């Protein structure tokens, strides 16, 4: 994309309503614009990040054996009355009525809809287990939406739901999603720590939330440094019961808790050299809630002995749009965003410091032709300082800086955004590093 023709409206001044770093930087870098309280339009730069996060989430769900569906945003109130949650959920639920005076709602979550789909389609124990997921917009009418996409009213979420014959099977599904989540967050350049959690209004007993460290996090967290040392993506755990048991044993052998669940006696037993404390942001949550919904909505399957059984369920959420803000909270500096390579909107920015100079223009065009959609080419008639500032603000992992002196010598300057390291080298060598 050529920056001169792009729709990336950057801002020099920080908007008054932005209270935290991610909100300030998402507005200043032209990722989003607010259209109503807690509701945002995603502009091209932000939308690319959103889709990169969504892609990683989808790939890891597929690898774990989950099957993708797409459920509607508008749901029937009758399903929620069946489960008993329609009146209990509170004012966060946006209740509406259609032209035929039928009670409807904008879905804040999808337990009722997925249970209804299941009971219409699955009848035998032979068809279990099932894990179904979708990535869909949701709405919760927060009384005080704030912090940009971190606590908005409309948000994009991946939610998955498991159905198993018994508790033992449900535990396997739960551990499957936990491993998938550890790999998902690592691929985004994040160190996520799973911590025992309260189940909240969705209900359930076994529950973990996934926390990433950030100074502006809403929770105080305590954990064993061992979580920082494990490469979950390449760990030799497969999605079978035996490997998942070993994985879960490793996870639960190390201490991790938010302030709500913090146990001082257990914390004191952790080697002081391995204790880590900080503020954390929740980016995912997994629950097991048994037969809470299958019983309430009379969803059954026939067991091997011919009896009707209510399957065990679990629910597994990742805040896709929230992750954009959470990553920025965890990875930024005074100059702007520092994107991890895997979710950055562009791999590199090409900065033409002397537009109109034949050597600079030719080198930039050649680089742009080779990088294609992976590059944002700053071809504007702007001074060099403005180009450097915007590139740092947007947070591209690499900057290829082309100036008259270097171009005349057949070199470019390559800058790594995360470290600030700069090196002069030929264009092909720069492309090889970026690749």
């Amino acid at each position: 994309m050529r920056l001169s023709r792009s729709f990336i409206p950057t801002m020099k001044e920080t908007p008054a309503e932005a209270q935290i770093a991610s909100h300030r930087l998402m507005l200043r870098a032209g990722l989003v614009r607010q259209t109503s309280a807690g509701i945002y339009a995603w502009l091209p730069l932000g939308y690319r990040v959103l889709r990169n996060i969504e892609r990683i989430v989808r790939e890891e769900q597929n690898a774990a054996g989950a099957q993708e569906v797409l459920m509607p945003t508008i749901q029937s109130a009758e399903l929620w009355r069946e489960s008993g949650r329609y009146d209990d959920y509170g004012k966060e639920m946006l209740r509406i009525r259609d032209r035929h005076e039928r009670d409807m709602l904008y879905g804040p979550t999808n337990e009722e809809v997925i249970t209804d789909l299941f009971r219409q389609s699955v009848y035998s124990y032979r068809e279990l287990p099932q894990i179904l997921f979708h990535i869909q917009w949701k709405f919760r009418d927060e009384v005080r939406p704030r912090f940009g996409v971190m606590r908005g009213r409309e948000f994009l979420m991946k939610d998955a739901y498991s159905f198993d014959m018994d508790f033992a099977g449900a535990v396997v599904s739960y551990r499957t999603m936990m491993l998938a989540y550890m790999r998902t967050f690592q691929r985004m350049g994040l160190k996520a720590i799973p911590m025992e959690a309260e189940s909240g209004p969705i209900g359930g007993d076994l529950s973990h939330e996934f926390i990433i460290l950030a100074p502006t996090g809403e929770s105080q967290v305590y954990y064993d440094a061992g979580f920082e040392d494990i490469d979950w993506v390449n760990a030799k755990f497969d999605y079978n019961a035996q490997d998942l048991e070993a994985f879960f044993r490793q996870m639960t052998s190390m201490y991790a808790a938010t302030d709500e669940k913090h146990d001082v006696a257990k914390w004191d037993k952790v080697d002081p050299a391995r204790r880590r404390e900080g503020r954390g942001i929740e980016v995912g949550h997994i629950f097991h809630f048994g037969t809470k919904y299958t019983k309430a909505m009379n969803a059954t399957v026939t067991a091997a002995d011919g009896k009707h059984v209510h399957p065990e369920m679990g629910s597994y959420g990742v805040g896709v749009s929230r992750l954009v803000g959470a990553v920025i909270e965890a990875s930024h500096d005074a100059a702007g965003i520092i994107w991890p390579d895997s979710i950055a909107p562009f791999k590199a920015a090409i900065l033409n410091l002397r537009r109109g100079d034949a050597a600079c223009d030719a080198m930039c065009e050649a680089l742009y032709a080779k990088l294609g959609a992976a590059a944002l080419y700053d071809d504007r008639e702007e001074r060099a300082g403005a180009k450097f500032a915007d590139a740092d603000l947007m947070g591209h992992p690499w900057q290829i800086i082309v100036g008259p002196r270097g171009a005349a010598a057949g070199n470019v300057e390559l800058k790594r955004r995360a470290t600030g390291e700069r090196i002069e080298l030929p264009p092909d060598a720069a492309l090889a590093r970026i690749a």
Side-chain angles (χ1 to χ4, degrees), residues 8-15 17-33 40 43 45-46 147-149 324-339 389-395 417:
I8 304 177
T10 58
M11 304 166 67
K12 290 184 173 62
E13 302 298 325
T14 298
E17 73 271 18
Q19 298 175 298
I20 62 173
S22 61
H23 194 190
R24 291 194 299 269
L25 292 171
M26 289 182 75
L27 291 172
R28 287 194 55 221
L31 272 67
V32 296
R33 286 293 182 266
Y40 291 84
L43 307 187
L45 202 68
F147 305 151
V149 301
V324 180
V327 168
I328 295 172
E329 290 295 327
S331 185
H332 70 275
D333 60 17
I337 301 165
I338 304 173
W339 289 118
D390 278 348
D392 281 347
L393 174 63
M394 295 179 204
R417 175 69 178 91

Side-chain angles (χ1 to χ4, degrees), residues 197-214:
E198 301 290 348
S199 351
I202 291 180
D205 300 319
L206 188 58
S207 176
H208 284 83
E209 58 188 6
F210 294 78
I211 303 289
I212 64 170
L213 296 186

Side-chain angles (χ1 to χ4, degrees), residues 5 34 49 64 82 211 218 231 261 287 313 348 363 409:
R5 301 176 189 170
Q34 181 170 292
V49 178
E82 273 193 74
I211 303 289
E218 60 266 272
D231 179 355
K261 292 272 190 176
F287 310 86
M313 284 182 67
M363 187 173 282

Side-chain angles (χ1 to χ4, degrees), residues 83-374:
S83 72
R85 287 205 300 172
Y86 185 70
D87 294 319
D88 294 343
Y89 204 88
K91 291 185 176 181
E92 284 190 353
M93 181 189 288
L94 181 62
R95 294 165 170 84
I96 54 181
R97 188 167 285 177
D98 69 13
R99 68 193 300 165
H100 301 291
E101 298 300 311
R102 289 178 293 224
D103 290 327
M104 311 292 286
L105 58 102
Y106 193 127
T109 183
N110 283 79
E111 282 79 9
E112 283 78 4
V113 173
I114 199 69
T115 304
D116 182 48
L117 293 173
F118 177 86
R119 70 182 175 182
Q120 294 181 48
S121 310
V122 178
Y123 304 103
S124 169
Y125 73 97
R126 293 186 181 90
E127 299 171 80
L128 298 181
Q130 295 280 352
I131 302 179
L132 305 170
F133 80 98
H134 77 157
I135 300 173
Q136 180 61 289
W137 292 96
K138 293 181 167 48
F139 189 92
R140 294 176 190 168
D141 201 2
E142 293 272 356
V143 63
R144 283 184 296 274
R146 59 192 187 278
F147 305 151
V149 301
M150 294 286 289
R151 187 167 292 181
R153 293 194 296 165
E154 185 182 52
F155 53 94
L156 187 63
M157 185 174 176
K158 187 285 300 183
D159 41 325
Y161 303 93
S162 61
F163 295 86
D164 288 273
M165 269 302 288
D166 51 28
F167 178 74
V171 167
V172 172
S173 293
Y174 186 90
R175 293 171 179 176
T176 294
M177 284 293 104
M178 180 178 277
L179 177 56
Y181 276 31
M182 297 307 291
R183 289 173 170 165
T184 297
F185 295 128
Q186 183 179 320
R187 285 185 59 191
M188 295 177 192
L190 300 171
K191 285 289 184 184
I193 316 296
M195 302 188 178
E196 286 189 29
E198 301 290 348
S199 351
I202 291 180
D205 300 319
L206 188 58
S207 176
H208 284 83
E209 58 188 6
F210 294 78
I211 303 289
I212 64 170
L213 296 186
T216 53
E218 60 266 272
S219 302
Q220 179 71 15
V221 296
Y222 307 82
Y223 67 95
D224 190 307
F227 281 105
E228 299 175 347
D229 303 329
I230 304 171
D231 179 355
W232 298 110
V233 171
N234 297 302
K236 298 189 183 301
F237 293 118
D238 203 350
Y239 290 110
N240 60 62
Q242 185 176 349
D243 279 10
L244 290 167
E245 183 176 1
F247 156 74
F248 194 73
R249 190 163 53 244
Q250 183 176 359
M251 298 296 288
T252 53
S253 67
M254 297 180 287
Y255 186 85
T258 62
D259 45 6
E260 292 176 341
K261 292 272 190 176
H262 186 46
D263 187 320
V264 176
K266 290 181 180 178
W267 183 239
D268 288 343
K269 294 177 183 177
V270 178
D271 182 341
R274 297 173 62 83
R275 294 178 192 165
R276 300 288 186 270
E277 298 183 33
R279 305 296 297 179
I281 297 171
E282 180 191 337
V283 290
H285 207 155
I286 60 177
F287 310 86
H288 165 257
F289 41 66
T291 58
K292 176 181 174 70
Y293 296 96
T294 52
K295 278 187 176 177
M297 300 179 69
N298 196 29
T300 65
V301 295
T302 304
D305 61 5
K307 294 181 179 178
H308 289 282
V309 175
H310 295 102
E312 299 264 337
M313 284 182 67
S315 176
Y316 316 93
V318 170
V320 176
S321 54
R322 180 181 174 86
L323 269 164
V324 180
V327 168
I328 295 172
E329 290 295 327
S331 185
H332 70 275
D333 60 17
I337 301 165
I338 304 173
W339 289 118
D341 293 71
S342 59
I343 63 172
F346 296 96
K347 283 186 177 181
I350 302 168
L351 308 185
N352 188 341
L353 301 189
R354 185 73 60 81
R355 189 177 172 192
D357 179 273
C360 287
D361 289 350
M363 187 173 282
C364 287
E365 290 293 341
L367 286 163
Y368 183 52
K370 290 178 180 178
L371 282 169

